[in-house]
Amino acid sequence: MARAGGGMGSAVNVGIAVQADWENREFISNISLNVRRLFDFLLRFEATTKSKLASLNEKLDSLERKLEVLEVQVSSATTNPSVFN
Amino acid sequence: MEVGACEAGRQQGPPSSGAPTSPAAPFGRSSSRLAAAGGATQSFDGALRELKDLQFQLHRAADCCEEAFLTTEKKKLVLDSTKSYICDAVVAVIDHLGTVSSKLEHQLQEKTDITQTEQKINFLKQRLLTCERYAISLELLAVRGDTGGVQYHRRYLSRSTERTKEENSSNGGPEPFKIISTIVPGAPRTLKPYDVESTIGRGCTMAGANVESATAVRSSFSFRAEDLQISPDDHKKKKKASHAGSNILSFIKRSRRA
């Protein structure tokens, strides 16, 4: 009888341990899922930020080139002012 | 005891971390989102700095929790506190990441400076283009004025034209087309683009009408009133008209005397 009670108690303990283990696993899976989502968000954020920065860089480059062309044209016009007299 | 140490370890953090920490909420919400003052660049830098500080804080907390779990006997309690801590940490990291991303997005969307610079450059280009067109029109005026520079290929010249040219050169007569300039040679002359069209248009039409006399040709190229030269016939007519006017005046005077 005592053995049977001990066996029941151990079975209950095992059941509690298994339930706690499943809870832990559920918690870990939830956390890992959220971390994966966070990682996906970071990847997408990196991609969009890279593309936006690239477009910004392209615009700045074009502006720089336009400015250089303007500088050259203005300098050529100032070196030959007789044209405008 | 160990749990208390772990809680104390949670509160530990770099002194530079701006987010206030508490045992209930180990990671405060990002303060950059709440900070209204300061420029966008400063707020973005602050949010990024907070995220970096959060990394060191998380590493220290993880070490503390591991040490407490290994040393304590109440492992369940430590495990539960660690779970809640992980949940709060994930929420705080997501909050900081959202703050940083929103700040960066806001900064990237603010392209007013680039647009303004682009507009300024386009304005300058337009002005330069206007100057270029003006200079080109002046060059065209110079080219059109230089009639001696116009040469046709022999293939396109008839023999009669060549003969008349040779006769003209042998006679030493006046050049059929010559532009009269009222400006003193050597003085700077400012030419306007509208002068080109008016001079050329009038010159072409009148030169076609009176090519026989050189004076007519000369007058055809001059479009100003002071440059107009009246032919002798016209002068005589005007004199007659003035004579007639004087006759009328004398008649009126005589009638008054009578």
Side-chain angles (χ1 to χ4, degrees), chain B residues 8-66:
Chain B
R10 284 181 184 183
Q11 293 181 7
Q12 286 178 358
S16 60
S17 60
T21 57
S22 66
F27 304 102
R29 292 295 175 93
S30 60
S31 61
S32 301
R33 185 175 286 179
L34 305 174
T41 311
Q42 291 179 356
S43 61
F44 173 70
D45 290 340
L48 205 63
R49 205 180 304 120
E50 282 183 4
L51 193 63
K52 285 180 181 176
D53 292 340
L54 197 64
Q55 177 191 358
F56 297 112
Q57 201 173 343
L58 279 172
H59 276 291
R60 291 182 67 178
D63 291 339
C64 179
C65 286
E66 188 179 0

Side-chain angles (χ1 to χ4, degrees), chain B residues 94-123:
Chain B
I94 290 172
D95 183 37
H96 279 80
L97 277 173
T99 306
V100 170
S101 62
S102 67
K103 298 284 181 190
L104 187 62
E105 179 79 14
H106 186 66
Q107 271 199 347
L108 287 175
Q109 281 186 350
E110 282 183 349
K111 295 177 182 175
T112 55
D113 295 339
I114 295 174
T115 312
Q116 284 178 359
T117 311
E118 214 164 0
Q119 285 177 353
K120 285 180 183 176
I121 287 175
N122 287 331
F123 174 65

